[in-house]
């Protein structure tokens, strides 16, 4: 089915572990984004990508790593998870913004 | 740095009443988006506003954009309980990569 999918939907991990959140879109959109949502902060941009092999930092990139070897995939890795990274993570994609941005269903990550 | 302020943060209103949510942003942009989020769900696109003076309406919701004032409004007419949700505005960076900066959201509660 066409769309943008995130996995897993829920994840509990321990402090210090590495964890990867997956994002896959089927539209071949050029732009992809990772946001985190925390109460009182709205959504904050972690990393974004304008095309395959082109990524850049957003507002809150520390502790995260991204890659984009293929247009359709944009995984987000927490290298050494901390409790402050407990959040809901949303992936989004767009072609040029003229038709808006589409968001995945989110991953709720808890770091214990 | 683009900043987006949204107010009010919380709005409790009775069914049948009208109200307006405001979204102010700090730097030039010609693209603004409104999203709805239900508890535990992803973001659903409501409106895409692409030019000064743009007005979009869907049911009891109407959004407008004044790029000169750097202001967008989301007007709710004759609220119904089904409109209870959190509403976000998001402004696109006119630079590279079409980054979106979000307001902190307005939690709308419509009571009988």
């Amino acid at each position: 089915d066409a769309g943008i999918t995130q996995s897993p939907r829920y994840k509990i991990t321990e402090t210090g572990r590495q964890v990867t959140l997956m994002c896959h879109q089927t539209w071949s959109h050029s732009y992809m984004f990772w946001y985190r949502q925390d109460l009182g902060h709205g959504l904050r941009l972690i990393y974004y990508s304008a095309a395959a092999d082109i990524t850049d930092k957003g507002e809150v990139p520390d502790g995260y790593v991204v890659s984009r070897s293929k247009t359709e995939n944009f995984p987000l890795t927490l290298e050494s998870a901390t409790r402050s990274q407990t959040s809901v993570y949303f992936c989004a994609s767009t072609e040029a913004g003229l038709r808006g941005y589409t968001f995945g269903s989110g991953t709720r990550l808890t770091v214990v | 740095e683009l900043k987006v302020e949204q107010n009010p943060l919380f709005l409790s209103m009775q069914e049948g009443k009208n109200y307006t949510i405001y979204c102010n942003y700090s730097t030039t942009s010609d693209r603004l988006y409104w999203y709805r989020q239900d508890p535990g769900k992803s973001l659903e696109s409501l409106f895409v506003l692409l030019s000064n003076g743009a007005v979009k309406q869907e049911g009891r919701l109407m959004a407008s954009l004044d790029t000169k004032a750097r202001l967008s409004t989301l007007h709710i007419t004759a609220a119904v309980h089904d409109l209870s949700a959190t509403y976000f505005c998001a402004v696109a960076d006119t630079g590279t990569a079409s980054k979106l900066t979000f307001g902190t959201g307005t939690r709308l509660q419509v009571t009988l």
Side-chain angles (χ1 to χ4, degrees), chain B residues 35-77:
Chain B
Y35 289 90
R36 168 182 173 144
Q37 186 180 38
D38 292 301
K41 303 293 186 181
S42 185
L43 283 80
E44 173 191 352
S45 179
L46 293 175
F47 300 109
V48 179
L49 303 171
L50 299 177
S51 62
N52 186 43
V55 177
K56 297 277 186 76
Q57 183 164 5
E58 180 73 31
R60 301 175 187 274
L61 301 177
M62 183 174 72
S64 66
L65 177 61
D66 181 343
T67 58
K68 294 179 181 178
R70 298 177 187 163
L71 171 69
S72 179
T73 60
L74 180 65
H75 187 73
I76 304 154
T77 301

Side-chain angles (χ1 to χ4, degrees), chain A residues 10 44 82 93:
Chain A
Y10 303 93
R44 293 180 292 174
T82 66
S93 74

Side-chain angles (χ1 to χ4, degrees), chain A residues 22-108:
Chain A
M22 305 301 292
C23 179
H24 175 79
Q25 52 108 351
T26 59
W27 294 297
S28 298
H29 283 169
S30 297
Y31 298 99
M32 296 188 74
F33 309 84
W34 275 105
Y35 288 88
R36 60 178 289 173
Q37 183 175 27
D38 305 290
L39 198 61
H41 291 280
L43 281 85
R44 293 180 292 174
L45 182 64
I46 305 171
Y47 268 95
Y48 61 98
S49 170
D53 297 321
I54 300 174
T55 63
D56 209 344
K57 297 177 180 179
E59 180 185 355
V60 289
D62 292 345
Y64 303 95
V65 174
V66 293
S67 62
R68 196 169 176 203
S69 57
K70 294 183 178 181
T71 299
E72 61 266 30
N73 296 323
F74 191 38
L76 176 73
T77 298
L78 287 67
E79 296 184 293
S80 177
T82 66
R83 289 181 182 169
S84 64
Q85 293 176 310
T86 292
S87 186
V88 180
Y89 292 84
F90 287 101
C91 177
S93 74
T94 189
E95 184 47 43
L98 299 181
R99 296 186 180 180
Y101 297 66
T102 304
F103 285 79
S105 54
T107 295
R108 183 174 293 274

Side-chain angles (χ1 to χ4, degrees), chain B residues 14 18-19 28 37 44 51 57 59 65 73 79 83 85 94 98 102:
Chain B
Q14 289 182 320
N18 304 332
Y19 209 83
T28 300
Q37 186 180 38
E44 173 191 352
S51 62
Q57 183 164 5
L65 177 61
T73 60
L83 289 179
T94 53
S98 299
F102 281 81

